[in-house]
Amino acid sequence: MQLEEAILGMALAMGLAGTVLELGMRSWRYSSEAAGFAQASQQTLLLRQGWRRFIHECPERPHLTSPTELTAGSWRATISEGTLLLQGAAEPRRLWLPPGMTAEVRREGARGEAERWILLVTWQPRRSGGHTGGMSRLVACRGEVSP
């Protein structure tokens, strides 16, 4: 009888240890994903603020030279290698795109409307949790009316 009780006790202990280990791994994954999401949100907020400040402070009217480059006289915004490089009156500012995110520049606004310069960011779906990829428009308006 004691051998059976010992085997039963070991089986219960193994089952309990497996459950605790599984819960620990789920907690770790959840914490890791939450930290990654928070970091990506913060980087996106910095992109939005930097983009708007750059467009609002441009001394000249911006011109789109390619989907990854905008110029306004000596000022330049360039997207490359997961970064947005903003070169203006002060030192160049490099803003990192969150992992899996790409960006391009677009212009909106019909004749007679204020120009809207869009930093269109697109991201890939996450590996777990069924999250889908997406797209967001970071909009910065110029006060001038386009001719």
Side-chain angles (χ1 to χ4, degrees), residues 47 50-56 58-81 83-95 97 103-106 117-120 138 140:
L47 280 172
W51 178 247
R52 285 182 175 167
R53 186 177 313 120
F54 178 82
I55 295 297
H56 289 276
C58 281
E60 297 181 28
R61 186 168 175 232
H63 297 281
L64 190 61
T65 57
S66 77
T68 59
E69 186 173 62
L70 178 81
T71 59
S74 62
W75 290 45
R76 182 176 312 274
T78 309
I79 302 165
S80 66
E81 302 297 320
T83 63
L84 171 63
L85 181 62
L86 301 173
Q87 298 171 320
E91 289 185 27
R93 183 171 182 201
R94 184 175 304 271
L95 300 171
L97 299 174
E104 66 179 68
V105 179
R106 294 191 180 169
W117 290 96
I118 312 298
L119 184 64
L120 185 67
L138 308 181

Side-chain angles (χ1 to χ4, degrees), residues 27-38:
S27 295
W28 178 261
R29 263 193 313 262
Y30 176 76
S31 297
S32 176
E33 287 179 6
F37 179 76

Side-chain angles (χ1 to χ4, degrees), residues 2 5 8 16 18 22 26 30-31 47-48 60 67 70 82-83 91 93 100 102-104 107 110 114-116 143:
Q2 290 180 348
E5 289 172 353
L8 181 61
L16 183 60
E22 176 64 26
R26 284 185 187 178
Y30 176 76
S31 297
L47 280 172
R48 180 184 312 272
E60 297 181 28
L70 178 81
T83 63
E91 289 185 27
R93 183 171 182 201
T102 57
E104 66 179 68
R107 180 189 176 277
E115 291 180 341
R116 292 181 302 275

Side-chain angles (χ1 to χ4, degrees), residues 61 107-116 142-147:
R61 186 168 175 232
R107 180 189 176 277
E108 292 180 353
R111 187 175 296 273
E113 293 180 347
E115 291 180 341
R116 292 181 302 275
R142 298 268 305 168
E144 311 143 7
V145 175
S146 57

